[in-house]
Amino acid sequence: KEMGIEIRTGTPIGKKTNIRNLKIRYDAIFLATGAHQITRLNIPGEELKGVYGSLEFLEELKQGGISASAIKKAVVIGGGNTAMDVASTMKKTGVKEVALLYRRSRKEMPADINEIAETEKDGVEIRELVSPLTFSGQDHLEAIECQKMELGLPDLTGRSRPLPVKDSKFTIEVDLAVNAVGEKPTIDFLPELISINGDGTTATDPMTMETSLEGVFAGGDVVLGSATVSEAIVNAYRAAKGIEKYLQKS
């Protein structure tokens, strides 16, 4: 604000205000809308009370909607930095037992190695090669049916594909579960002229961060998916340079 930047809140981009309208009024646009849409597990019982998405859980905890000290057993599903953050936050705020379930081995975990070490230091149990099958309970989550996994040949990500082990189902009694397998961008407000990648992220020139719609740039999680702050900063730097060159040519 001190630099003269105007901040407008309460201005959703969609029907009344959209990218086409903005292009008429502004020479360049930068999209930094992040990735806030939870990737669903698509397993039975996901709608039960006590089953949260990662961002939903952290917000409820922050607002006092969840009393961590009243939770005896909690499970976090995922193997990325978000999963580690959620699991550590649980322990630090008073959850008695916290386990992190990951369907591959520790070697395949996308989380930073230091994040994994800190999570274990905080008292979180990391259970590798475990995949949830069903959430169960009456009015509230009571248990998770899981299955042991083993690693097969590499998939399209280059990591070993997790395969179910025959006759290996087991049940974990739990009060709360958090889905932290990842977030994806919300892109339904973007015009059709902006190309979207197969994974739902926004396609850009990697050096200028310009999208397929001239004068519209993007960076951060809307381009990368659920990534890190440092990667978003690199995107922002490249976009600033790209926008500067674009305005000089206009």
Side-chain angles (χ1 to χ4, degrees):
K1 291 175 69 175
E2 291 176 354
M3 293 172 67
I5 296 171
E6 180 186 0
I7 300 173
R8 295 186 185 178
T9 59
T11 310
I13 306 300
K15 295 180 180 179
K16 291 184 178 180
T17 303
N18 55 47
I19 301 298
R20 296 178 189 277
N21 298 148
L22 292 173
K23 276 185 64 62
I24 296 173
R25 298 170 56 194
Y26 299 97
D27 297 315
I29 298 169
F30 178 64
L31 305 173
T33 50
H36 305 288
Q37 188 175 341
I38 297 296
T39 302
R40 292 179 59 82
L41 296 168
N42 293 321
I43 62 177
E46 198 167 3
E47 303 302 326
L48 274 173
K49 291 181 180 179
V51 181
Y52 294 86
S54 54
L55 299 178
E56 178 191 13
F57 168 76
L58 292 172
E59 182 64 23
E60 282 286 313
L61 191 65
K62 180 181 178 183
Q63 298 297 331
I66 296 174
S67 175
S69 59
I71 301 168
K72 294 181 179 179
K73 294 183 178 181
V75 158
V76 178
I77 300 160
N81 289 331
T82 298
M84 301 299 160
D85 288 342
V86 169
S88 289
T89 298
M90 284 181 173
K91 286 296 293 184
K92 290 175 180 177
T93 53
V95 178
K96 295 175 177 63
E97 293 182 30
V98 181
L100 187 145
L101 309 182
Y102 183 58
R103 61 179 184 162
R104 291 184 170 93
S105 71
R106 181 182 301 247
K107 181 181 176 182
E108 281 78 28
M109 279 186 173
D112 181 83
I113 188 171
N114 295 317
E115 289 272 357
I116 298 172
E118 284 296 318
T119 299
E120 287 190 303
K121 186 178 178 181
D122 289 332
V124 175
E125 177 191 5
I126 295 179
R127 302 185 65 171
E128 309 169 52
L129 296 168
V130 173
S131 182
L133 296 176
T134 305
F135 297 110
S136 61
Q138 294 298 320
D139 299 322
H140 193 281
L141 176 67
E142 297 175 7
I144 306 175
E145 184 182 34
C146 300
Q147 185 161 33
K148 293 181 181 179
M149 310 295 283
E150 61 184 359
L151 297 180
L153 296 173
D155 59 16
L156 295 176
T157 68
R159 295 179 296 170
S160 298
R161 183 187 300 275
L163 302 171
V165 175
K166 187 178 179 180
D167 299 325
S168 65
K169 294 179 182 179
F170 63 98
T171 300
I172 301 174
E173 293 184 358
V174 66
D175 305 310
L176 183 143
V178 175
N179 167 13
V181 296
E183 298 84 34
K184 56 185 179 180
T186 300
I187 55 173
D188 54 3
F189 69 96
L190 297 178
E192 293 181 0
L193 290 174
I194 294 182
S195 297
I196 303 300
N197 296 316
D199 61 356
T201 56
T202 304
T204 62
D205 180 308
M207 296 311 297
T208 66
M209 306 310 297
E210 188 172 20
T211 69
S212 55
L213 181 57
E214 184 181 344
V216 179
F217 299 74
D221 288 0
V222 72
V223 170
L224 302 167
S226 183
T228 65
V229 172
S230 58
E231 289 172 300
I233 291 171
V234 171
N235 276 188
Y237 177 81
R238 289 176 178 172
K241 291 293 185 182
I243 291 170
E244 182 182 32
K245 290 181 180 179
Y246 174 76
L247 294 178
Q248 287 173 348
K249 292 189 299 182
S250 299

